[in-house]
Amino acid sequence: MAKEPTKTAEPHVASDGKGAAAHPLPDQATCRELLETMALIRRFEEEAGRQYQQAKAGGFLHLAIGEEATIVGTTSMMRPDDYLIGTYRTHGHAIARGTDPKRVMAELFGREDGCSRGRGGSMHIFDLERRFMGGYGIVGGNLPIAAGLALACDYTGSDSVTVCMFGDGASNTGNFGETMNIAALWKLPVVFLVENNLYGMGTSIERHSAVTDLSRKAEGLGVPGVRVDGMDVLAVRETVAEHIRIAREDRQPTLVEAFTYRYRGHSAADPEVYRTKEEVEEWRQKDPVKVFRDRLLADGVISEDYLEELRERLERQIMDAVEFADNSPEPPLESLYDHLYVVGDQVRGWYAVDERTPEPHRGEKEREVGAGGEARKLAEAGAAYAGQQSPRGRRPVGDRAAPGGEAEEAARIVRDRDGAEALEDEDED
């Protein structure tokens, strides 16, 4: 166990003594694009947290507030035909790759217009068109997939590069060592980037990794690494650009460890009892959005008027995304088994089984059965039995005008089935 807590890599300081970053600013258009993308991600994440508290989004919610420089610095150096794959904290990654925030918000809400058609939620954002191969819910599970993407590029003769971003905790999984070994053995064009925010869920890096310098963790497997200040968007750009070049031209996998920090907990349900307020406040002084903004102001790249216009523009964009998500329809019940498997004549048998009815049926028949068959009747009856409005906007049974209608018939089926089960229980007794 390390004796001293891990500190962020200190950025180079200019000789003027004012602490200005040594990395030169790119042109004005690039500077503004970097700032706007980081600010957009920040505002999206803040609003996503608010919407989650209002129960608009289900499941888990992992926010990347504080990690914007690592995200944007990396993606800004990738080509459109490069692949990116992340973990479960990837709303910002998709937005940085060009996915419309409306579609990301709709995915959080579980709606049909979401980038994964409402099936993935927060942890499984996906956009094939922009070669963002998804957030991935299993810790370390994205590592071998990244190797597969890079191998596919070799097979097809493409010079596209794969960038795989993962957390410090994933460096302890078996997949990490296996993937590093095969990537080095086969000389795959991949950049592995560790988003080291110093905690694997609520466990500090000193407690979960015997080697706290994660940039060295793959050296023995043939993958060299470096460290970079992940709170400095320009430092990340410079480092990642070189490692993408190595992957593209030299066909050599490398590892980049980016020191960053999340200002919110591991997830929205995290009580954050494992770190002090003083620690969080210390890292807030390195806020990547504010630090970069202040430098651009000081250097005359942007003005206060520009910032005010930017704030208003981003606010409208994010609230439009919320409105879009609210108005997007929920996936129909009968689409439950859509997009799961490729079904063809070459494989015989059922590719899924729906057991929500007394008589199980093939998953591929779900649209037929779910649209007007037994599954629909039971779903309607269940909503009526609970005395609640159907989440899809249908009226309870009591609101049906005609007795003996579809909902009443479904309720009768449920009553008869419950009665039959009760009799069976009595017989067993």
Side-chain angles (χ1 to χ4, degrees), residues 229-300:
D229 182 3
M231 305 298 274
D232 183 343
V233 66
L234 299 180
V236 176
R237 272 171 59 87
E238 181 180 293
T239 299
V240 171
E242 173 60 14
H243 285 258
I244 287 179
R245 185 201 64 77
I246 293 171
R248 199 182 316 277
E249 298 178 8
D250 302 340
R251 318 307 281 183
Q252 167 68 53
T254 57
L255 177 67
V256 176
E257 178 189 10
F259 272 101
T260 185
Y261 200 80
R262 49 176 165 81
Y263 295 142
R264 301 290 179 89
H266 168 71
S267 71
D270 184 359
E272 297 188 66
V273 296
Y274 49 85
R275 60 185 185 181
T276 64
K277 292 181 179 179
E278 292 74 18
E279 176 187 309
V280 177
E281 184 57 34
E282 179 184 352
W283 278 89
R284 283 193 180 277
Q285 303 307 310
K286 306 172 185 178
D287 186 315
V289 181
K290 292 181 180 179
V291 170
F292 192 58
R293 175 203 66 190
D294 290 348
R295 183 179 179 194
L296 296 187
L297 279 171
D299 287 12

Side-chain angles (χ1 to χ4, degrees), residues 179-218:
T179 303
M180 297 300 137
N181 179 66
I182 203 166
L185 186 65
W186 290 351
K187 299 186 181 301
L188 299 180
V190 58
V191 177
F192 298 102
L193 193 146
V194 187
E195 298 169 290
N196 184 0
N197 58 31
L198 308 187
Y199 292 94
M201 294 186 69
T203 305
S204 65
I205 188 171
E206 294 84 11
R207 297 183 60 196
H208 75 64
S209 182
V211 176
T212 56
D213 184 349
L214 303 185
S215 67
R216 301 178 58 187
K217 214 166 184 180

Side-chain angles (χ1 to χ4, degrees), residues 27 34 42 71 85 111 130-131 138 145 174 177 196 199 203 205 214 232 237 257-258 274 278-279 307 333 335 363:
D27 60 86
L34 294 173
R42 173 69 60 88
I71 298 168
I85 187 168
R111 302 304 177 89
R130 292 164 181 82
R131 296 202 169 186
I138 299 175
I145 297 177
N196 184 0
Y199 292 94
T203 305
I205 188 171
L214 303 185
D232 183 343
R237 272 171 59 87
E257 178 189 10
Y274 49 85
E278 292 74 18
E279 176 187 309
L307 283 178
L333 182 66
S335 70

Side-chain angles (χ1 to χ4, degrees), residues 42 113 137 223 235 237 378 397 427:
R42 173 69 60 88
D113 293 316
V223 181
R237 272 171 59 87
L378 291 173
V397 169
D427 290 342

